[in-house]
Amino acid sequence: MILLIDNSNTRTKFMLAEDGVLLVNSYDVVPTADLTFENIYAKLQGAQLTAVVIASVVPWASTLLKSVCESVCPKVCMLNAQTEV
């Protein structure tokens, strides 16, 4: 299962995907200003993640999200303004 995270200035959206299909019932939103290690970690508890993909435009949140995700999943991909395409 892959966790997809879309982090913007206002909201951070979380959704799971499995076998190339988005799991619509897994959608969750947190105000970006309210992100903490603890509340992100709580969202990830129990999920059998094989990878996490984070798209972020908020530098402090990028660092936080990556740190939390790396604590529960071995494969974390970060996409941000410095990512070369």
Side-chain angles (χ1 to χ4, degrees), residues 9-81:
N9 289 307
T10 306
R11 290 180 297 274
T12 301
K13 287 79 70 188
F14 299 82
M15 182 172 269
L16 295 171
E18 190 166 32
D19 297 326
V21 177
L22 294 175
L23 304 177
V24 181
N25 293 333
S26 69
Y27 184 75
D28 195 12
V29 179
V30 173
T32 297
D34 294 343
L35 289 176
T36 64
F37 189 98
E38 293 77 16
N39 67 13
I40 299 166
Y41 188 80
K43 290 188 176 309
L44 305 181
Q45 287 298 94
Q48 300 298 315
L49 300 175
T50 56
V52 178
V53 178
I54 304 166
S56 179
V57 297
V58 184
W60 71 264
S62 297
T63 302
L64 176 62
L65 288 162
K66 185 175 183 201
S67 172
V68 177
C69 291
E70 286 178 337
S71 75
V72 297
C73 184
K75 294 181 184 177
V76 177
C77 176
M78 175 64 69
L79 304 171
N80 59 30

